[in-house]
Each structure stands twice: as structure tokens, then as C-alpha cells.
Amino acid sequence: MDREAFLKPAQEYRMKTIIHGWPDECGILADAVRDFGYGGTATNPPTENGYTGNKENLAKFGRILEELNSRDMDYWIYDELGYPSGHGGGQSLEDHPELEAKGFYMHRRMAWEPKNAVFDLDDESDRIIWAAKYPCDCSRMNTSIVLYDQMERVAFTDTHCECSMKENEALFIFCVKSAYEGSHLTHNVSSKNRYINILDEKAVRRFLDVCYEPIVKEVPEAYKNARAVFTDEPSLQTPYIQGDEVWPYALAPWVDGLFEAFEEEYGYSLLPYLPMIFEGRSSSYTVRVHFYQLIGKLIAKNYVKQISDWCVEHGTCFSGHYLAEESLRAHVLYYGSYLEVLRASGYPGVDVLASYPDIYHQNTTRFAQMAARKNNTNGIMVELCPFINMEHFSEHPVRYAAGILSLLYLGGCRCVNSYFSSDFSSYSSEILQGYQGFMSRGQSIWLNEYTGRLGSMLDQAFHECGTFVYYALEEVQAKTRPSHCAQEASDSEADRSIFEITRSLFDRGYDYLFADRDDIVAAAGSISENQAWISGCRVENIILPAMDIIYPETWEALVRLREAGVSIWFADKLPKYRVGEKAVFAYYDFREESVLDAFTADGRYFAAIPAEQIVQKIEKQEKEFNVQADASNSFLTAKFQKDGRKIYFVVNKTEEKQEAAWQCSGKEKAEIWNPADGSIMEVEAGKSVTIDACRGLFFVF
């Protein structure tokens, strides 16, 4: 471990400031960025007068990059005029309306006696894509069971469907329309442009043609010299985003060829079961899991991998961040399978909007960290954008930014592109008058050095953790149905449970990682001498959130891990359904719906207990390293290994400095590496060390 490199961190570890517009004297701003301690910038061509369609903009962009290159400054290329990435400032859909984002919805008719049904497409929709009718079993009170294996196709045109219906028959008509109203497109601070279909390979190719290719044509070395490309919140537009609005159409993601792709992927036709995407309870779970997993694979292939391959071909890496990373509900609604999408990227990333530690979401980086661990990408990129509760943030902006950065690096961040800006106008009041921000030059230099030391210390460090929380994506996929209004994470039982588990761990200072089905199965396969491993970490605890459905191979692997001595904890209930198994329709009376899927505590292999009890049991487990503060629950600790040494990163989450007394099994002394000033000192076990508010220290053995 290099002490000099820690004291004077290289620019690659410092923050990159995000600049979307440059003055004509762009070299002056580049000088200011370097003088204020930054490692470089994330930037884009001028956005006015046609964006990348204007050669003058591209020529100026070339001059900007020349100024950065001449100063040996790193840069990222931001790939859009605003966000979400894909609309190309309106160019992507110009003369190509067929590439717009689409969704499909269901229209349901029921015949309680014979009748003739007529349906005509409305003026909001594009066309009818499927129609079928089914007999229904209505023999029991309060039930109308669709008999999916007796589907009868109904003739239709693009705009009209008409058929005769027998008693107790259901007719389902499915229609496609643009996904726009009420979406992320109409509720952002950038634009209200219509948007491409990220499921469509041709639409994404069009985005490349209008936003990437013009740059490389006019500035051939632009991408080759770039650290990475920054894509910003590309996403499906079928979910509604504003909780106060209700819309006429409940949309599922659509792209031409979707039905054929489903059958190719899973070996059965989706058509008989298409209503299950929109309705049904446990009997519909497997179809929905398959559907949303396929959506994730299509986005990963057609958006992320296509652009990533282009970037590699042109000498750089594809990165950026996606939308609403903090919840599984959003992972399904916006991507089908967020992890599938993120793993297709060259370097995963997130954004963080929390402006101070008290409101930091503990899972902001943790889901993306899972992709980084699987892909071995040496951490993730974070867009730092302190946006929430700016009034409080403004009281101590540098302190709070340092606190957020400490938590981010502990949770997997290794690179920062920042909207937390500096007052560059002080460098040149005449030329940079409009470039004002939160930090003075001195504050900016300090925060960049602090961030640089975090990055230098943790670069290529192995994150060692034995507690894993299960990434219960199949549970949320199974229960995701298109809605007429916004769907919140708080509506998802799995999300509520995961939040409770991880917040309890976070508040008590315990580290954790997420693990998915593949990790659990691999861990079971790694068992040797009653030890199991995930990505080089010995597995000690696996915590599963409240869920009703799980992959059978995950369950079987958990049984084997339990037999090998791994502690397996289920929070609140045991899953009683398995993905792939046909669930029989569960009869119930609507008055008893509140007790459906009630608490299931005991099973053959496992017992479920409240999440709080799980964390209490983990608290009682023996720890190799302990650090105590004046105030309880002040610190968060994570363990790393690097160059044959153990590193414990301890972050003070509070707004008060704390005196920390430490103990480490078999160790009498520790080196304390302080990222605030680059100092290194030796401290004996049991002696107190001061950790300032919202900062961290490295305990090195």
C-alpha cells in the first residue's frame, strides 16, 4: 500500500465535475476545473441549435476535448441532450415514428348470457395485436375462473373486433399504443420529448446514428480518449410515475416480435396466458416471472449490449446509470430485470439524490454492487446529485457531501461524476461568471483530495462480507401487474421487507451484500468442509425477505447450505410457491382476502421470524473487529483486503464527531489512514480515535 499515493491521490481517483455547457474560452474553464482539484469532467457537445446534428457544435466539442487532452485531464462523454438517454434531443424519432416506445393494454369483456361483442379501437391506440375468448368456470360463488387451456382465437383487424359470446365466456382484446402520457418523459426537469423503444434494436441503432456516430465522424479520437460514456436513465415508459394521476390504459412493455421471442425463450406460447400479465393471483406468477425476465434480456441485448459493443469498438467503455435503482419494484417496472440490464454494461453505475447521511438510502449502491461483483468491474460509478432537501444540505454542504461520499465508497463506489459543483467564477469572474456552485476553491480541493484518497485506498480492494440478503426479484416480477397509476416500492411486500432488513443492519453498523438465485445455487455447489462461498466471500448468513414465490433451485440450494452450517433466515413468512410449478386456482371469498398468504412461520426445513429478531441474532455472532462510539449506532463498518493487508473502513454516519475505541482479534496495534488529510498514525487496541462528523477512517492491519 502506497503511502505517497494516499497522501497525494492521482486524478483518476478524484471527482469528475459534470459540465453540460462551455464558454467559448473553454480552456479557461478547463484550467479552473484542474485548479479546483478535480480529476476531469463529464461533458457533451453543445446542446443548442441542433445538438449533434450541427457540425459547428461538434467542432466546438472537438476543441473542448483538445483542451482537456492537452492538460492530461480525464473526461467522460455524456450521450444525450438532457435525459432520459435515447431521444437524441428529438432527432431519434424524426421521420421514424415507428421507433417510439410502446406498451400494450388489455380490454376485458364478460358474457353472463349469450351476446354479440363489438370492439373498435380508439384514437389513442395504434392497433389490435391479439384477441381470444375463454370459457369460465363460475360454478362457485364469487369466482370466475378463466380456463386458459381452452382458448379460442377471435378474428380481428387492426382496428375492429367482433364475435359472438356464449354464457360464461370472457373475451380479451389486446391493443398497442404509445407509452408517453404520465411517464418519466412528462415528469422530468429536462424535456418532454417522445422517446425510443429501448426493447427495439432498430430504435437503439437510430440513437447511435444520431448521437454517437456524428461525434466520431467529426472528432475521430473522441471516444478513444474518453474514460467512458455516460448514459442517463434510459428506461421503459410503460409505468406511470406521478402518484396523483390516473390514466385510462394499464400498459405492459411491447415490441414487435415479443410473442415470438417469448416462445423461443421458454418453449411455450404466451398467447393463451396473455391475460395473466394483467390479472390473476398465484396461478399467474410463473408467466409474469418469465415475461419480465424476457423484457430484461431484450433491454440488455438491444440497448445496453448494442451500445456497449459500439463503445468497445471505438476504444472506450459504456457506463452511466439507470432509473430508480433503490427498489425491486422499479427494477421490474422500468427494466423487467435490472440486474440483467446492468450486467450488460461495461461499468455499472447509479445516481444518488440524497444530500446528507440521515436520508441516505442504504441500498443506493448495493444492487449495482451486485452486478459489479459478478462482472468483476472494480466497483461502480456514481453520479453525485444532492437534490433532496437542499435547504438542509445548504447548511453544511461540504460536510454532508463528504458523509455521502464515505457511505458510497463503503458500498462499492469507485468513481464519481458530480453535479455538486464549485464556484468556478472566482477563477475568472469575467469569463466564468455563470459557473457558480457550492464550494470555494479550498473546499473543492479538500473534498477532491478526500474522495481521491477513498478511491486510492479501495481501488482493486476485495470487499469481504459474510452476510447476504436475497435479491427476491422473482417475487416482485410475479406480483407486478400493469396499473392505471404509479406503483410505489411501498406497495411491494418484498421491498418493504428488504428495506426493514437492510435498514436494521445499516443502523447497527453491519455490512451486507445482495445475492441472487445464481449466487445461492453457486454457493451450494461450492460447499467443501462445511464452508460455502460467493465470489470469494465465505457465506455465514443468508437473509430472505418476506416472499410468496421462489425458484425451486434456490430453495434446494438453501436446504443444502443450511445442512453445511450456513445460517438461513426467513423474514416473516416462508415462500409456498415455486417458479415453474403450476399453481392451482385458490378459491377464496372476497371478504376473506385480507388473510390470503398469511404469515407462514414453520416449514420442514426452515422457520420464519420477524426481521428485527434476525438482526438481533446476527448481533450476537462473534466479530473479528469491533469499534465502539460514544453514541450507539454511530458507525458503519466494512472489511476489505488489499496487498495482503486487512482494511476496515469505519464511517461516522452522525453529525457529531465520535470517539471510537476498537478491538481486533489477535491485533494489538492498528494503522489509522485518514482520508481527510492523508495522515497515517499507529494506535493501540482499546485506545480512542476521533472520527469527525460525516467522515471515515481506515483501520489497517
Side-chain angles (χ1 to χ4, degrees):
M1 293 170 57
D2 192 329
R3 293 172 178 245
E4 185 66 19
F6 182 73
L7 178 63
K8 300 177 181 178
Q11 70 174 21
E12 66 181 289
Y13 302 122
R14 297 165 182 253
M15 293 188 292
K16 280 69 180 173
T17 186
I18 301 174
I19 301 174
H20 291 303
W22 291 72
D24 290 336
E25 299 88 345
C26 51
I28 300 296
L29 181 53
D31 286 336
V33 169
R34 185 172 61 178
D35 185 62
F36 276 57
Y38 290 94
T41 182
T43 191
N44 48 264
T47 56
E48 62 273 6
N49 301 321
Y51 186 40
T52 51
N54 184 336
K55 288 189 176 182
E56 292 183 5
N57 288 343
L58 299 175
K60 181 177 180 180
F61 189 52
R63 293 193 296 272
I64 293 167
L65 299 187
E66 285 179 8
E67 296 287 358
L68 295 171
N69 286 327
S70 69
R71 292 163 175 78
D72 293 322
M73 296 173 67
D74 290 342
Y75 67 85
W76 288 49
I77 296 179
Y78 188 87
D79 73 350
E80 182 55 271
L81 193 167
Y83 69 97
S85 291
H87 64 79
Q91 298 176 96
S92 297
L93 295 181
E94 188 175 344
D95 299 324
H96 290 278
E98 76 280 2
L99 303 179
E100 186 180 4
K102 301 290 183 181
F104 74 102
Y105 62 89
M106 183 179 79
H107 181 83
R108 191 188 213 274
R109 297 276 181 91
M110 186 71 196
W112 303 110
E113 58 185 23
K115 70 176 186 179
N116 192 57
V118 179
F119 174 84
D120 289 301
L121 196 70
D122 64 26
D123 60 359
E124 287 283 321
S125 305
D126 296 353
R127 69 186 193 278
I128 300 171
I129 56 171
W130 183 250
K133 59 183 181 178
Y134 304 77
C136 296
D137 178 0
C138 303
S139 60
R140 293 186 59 167
M141 186 176 69
N142 299 325
T143 61
S144 173
I145 306 169
V146 178
L147 303 178
Y148 293 104
D149 57 354
Q150 298 181 40
M151 179 191 76
E152 180 182 343
R153 185 185 189 278
V154 172
F156 60 90
T157 67
D158 282 352
T159 60
H160 180 79
C161 179
E162 183 173 354
C163 72
S164 60
M165 297 180 66
K166 301 174 184 176
E167 179 183 359
N168 293 336
E169 271 193 336
L171 170 65
F172 297 94
I173 302 168
F174 300 90
C175 310
V176 167
K177 72 175 298 292
S178 295
Y180 178 71
E181 293 86 356
S183 72
H184 186 43
L185 301 174
T186 60
H187 294 290
N188 64 65
V189 298
S190 176
S191 76
K192 289 183 170 54
N193 284 328
R194 288 182 177 264
Y195 186 69
I196 63 168
N197 191 343
I198 61 173
L199 291 163
D200 187 342
E201 181 182 10
K202 294 178 181 177
V204 179
R205 180 63 243 187
R206 172 69 177 168
F207 175 48
L208 282 168
D209 288 342
V210 300
C211 283
Y212 285 62
E213 295 286 2
I215 294 175
V216 81
K217 182 178 179 180
E218 298 297 325
V219 191
E221 301 296 307
Y223 290 97
K224 183 179 179 181
N225 293 327
R227 279 279 178 177
V229 167
F230 189 122
T231 201
D232 198 352
E233 298 188 352
S235 60
L236 296 168
Q237 302 304 325
T238 43
Y240 299 116
I241 204 166
Q242 173 53 256
D244 295 327
E245 300 172 353
V246 177
W247 293 88
Y249 309 95
L251 296 175
W254 172 259
V255 65
D256 288 349
L258 181 61
F259 297 154
E260 294 80 2
F262 187 96
E263 187 164 3
E264 181 178 353
E265 181 73 22
Y266 299 110
Y268 69 94
S269 174
L270 176 62
L271 294 175
Y273 310 105
L274 204 52
M276 289 183 171
I277 303 300
F278 297 85
E279 65 179 34
R281 293 181 290 115
S282 55
S283 57
S284 300
Y285 284 172
T286 289
V287 170
R288 290 194 205 119
V289 171
H290 286 170
F291 178 80
Y292 283 107
Q293 196 63 29
L294 174 64
I295 293 298
K297 289 181 178 181
L298 291 175
I299 297 172
K301 173 178 177 285
N302 293 329
Y303 186 92
V304 185
K305 188 176 187 302
Q306 183 178 183
I307 300 180
S308 184
D309 287 348
W310 188 97
C311 288
V312 171
E313 181 183 342
H314 290 81
T316 192
C317 171
F318 186 57
S319 185
H321 86 94
Y322 298 84
L323 179 61
E325 297 101 339
E326 294 84 0
S327 75
L328 275 71
R329 171 70 83 192
H331 293 180
V332 176
L333 289 173
Y334 292 108
Y335 302 102
S337 173
Y338 170 76
L339 183 60
E340 193 83 36
V341 169
L342 212 59
R343 291 199 65 188
S345 179
Y347 193 70
V350 302
D351 73 340
V352 57
L353 303 181
S355 56
Y356 53 96
D358 278 354
I359 61 171
Y360 175 77
H361 194 301
Q362 68 275 8
N363 294 329
T364 293
T365 60
R366 299 289 179 156
F367 295 120
Q369 183 186 37
M370 180 169 48
R373 170 177 58 78
K374 288 171 174 287
N375 287 8
N376 195 27
T377 60
N378 185 33
I380 64 173
M381 182 280 298
V382 170
E383 174 200 303
L384 180 64
C385 183
F387 182 76
I388 299 174
N389 200 344
M390 290 294 292
E391 182 178 352
H392 183 77
F393 175 74
S394 299
E395 295 175 6
H396 303 287
V398 178
R399 177 203 295 177
Y400 292 145
I404 291 292
L405 286 162
S406 300
L407 294 171
L408 290 171
Y409 274 83
L410 185 146
C413 170
R414 297 295 177 267
C415 172
V416 174
N417 289 303
S418 178
Y419 280 111
F420 178 52
S421 56
S422 297
D423 184 12
F424 295 126
S425 66
S426 64
Y427 187 85
S428 174
S429 58
E430 181 178 351
I431 296 173
L432 303 180
Q433 183 177 3
Y435 295 86
Q436 300 176 11
F438 286 97
M439 292 186 288
S440 67
R441 178 178 179 272
Q443 290 172 325
S444 179
I445 290 172
W446 179 84
L447 189 62
N448 271 289
E449 288 182 346
Y450 182 81
T451 305
R453 293 184 187 112
L454 298 181
S456 175
M457 174 64 84
L458 295 175
D459 181 36
Q460 301 296 335
F462 174 71
H463 189 167
E464 184 177 327
C465 180
T467 296
F468 291 85
V469 178
Y470 185 62
Y471 181 65
L473 186 68
E474 65 266 37
E475 162 76 6
V476 182
Q477 289 172 327
K479 294 182 178 179
T480 295
R481 296 185 293 187
S483 173
H484 293 275
C485 57
Q487 300 186 61
E488 308 291 344
S490 58
D491 297 330
S492 163
E493 182 179 37
D495 272 312
R496 293 195 305 271
S497 182
I498 285 174
F499 184 87
E500 180 183 3
I501 292 163
T502 56
R503 195 70 197 183
S504 294
L505 291 169
F506 179 86
D507 286 344
R508 288 168 169 81
Y510 294 121
D511 196 18
Y512 62 92
L513 298 172
F514 278 101
D516 68 350
R517 170 188 58 172
D518 293 343
D519 289 321
I520 302 301
V521 172
S526 75
I527 294 172
S528 177
E529 298 180 353
N530 284 335
Q531 293 185 0
W533 306 85
I534 292 177
S535 300
C537 294
R538 182 184 173 186
V539 183
E540 299 171 4
N541 303 292
I542 298 175
I543 308 173
L544 292 96
M547 52 195 299
D548 288 312
I549 186 168
I550 194 169
Y551 284 102
E553 55 267 37
T554 304
W555 180 268
E556 293 162 6
L558 290 168
V559 172
R560 293 177 59 195
L561 289 165
R562 173 183 173 274
E563 293 170 349
V566 176
S567 296
I568 309 294
W569 314 100
F570 281 86
D572 297 329
K573 63 162 64 172
L574 300 177
K576 59 183 178 181
Y577 302 107
R578 304 290 179 264
V579 176
E581 296 179 0
K582 185 175 181 180
V584 179
F585 182 89
Y587 290 95
Y588 73 104
D589 189 290
F590 71 92
R591 294 164 299 179
E592 300 168 349
E593 188 171 11
S594 62
V595 298
L596 287 176
D597 297 327
F599 184 97
T600 305
D602 296 302
R604 179 180 174 188
Y605 299 104
F606 304 107
I609 61 175
E612 179 63 22
Q613 290 184 23
I614 295 173
V615 178
Q616 289 173 0
K617 289 178 180 294
I618 290 176
E619 277 190 298
K620 295 177 181 178
Q621 295 175 349
E622 185 176 349
K623 306 294 187 300
E624 180 183 53
F625 176 84
N626 281 289
V627 59
Q628 300 294 327
D630 298 332
S632 61
N633 301 332
S634 298
F635 298 144
L636 183 63
T637 303
K639 180 183 179 181
F640 301 88
Q641 292 193 29
K642 182 176 179 178
D643 297 339
R645 305 188 72 179
K646 295 179 182 179
I647 303 169
Y648 289 90
F649 186 27
V650 180
V651 175
N652 178 3
K653 300 177 291 182
T654 74
E655 296 192 26
E656 302 291 337
K657 69 178 181 180
Q658 302 289 336
E659 295 299 318
W662 66 273
Q663 296 287 339
C664 186
S665 178
K667 303 295 181 181
E668 296 181 356
K669 295 180 180 180
E671 288 180 359
I672 308 299
W673 295 50
N674 188 347
D677 57 13
S679 64
I680 301 170
M681 64 178 180
E682 197 172 78
V683 177
E684 295 180 354
K687 295 294 181 65
S688 293
V689 178
T690 300
I691 305 182
D692 287 332
C694 301
R695 295 186 193 172
L697 291 178
F698 295 105
F699 290 70
V700 181
F701 301 94

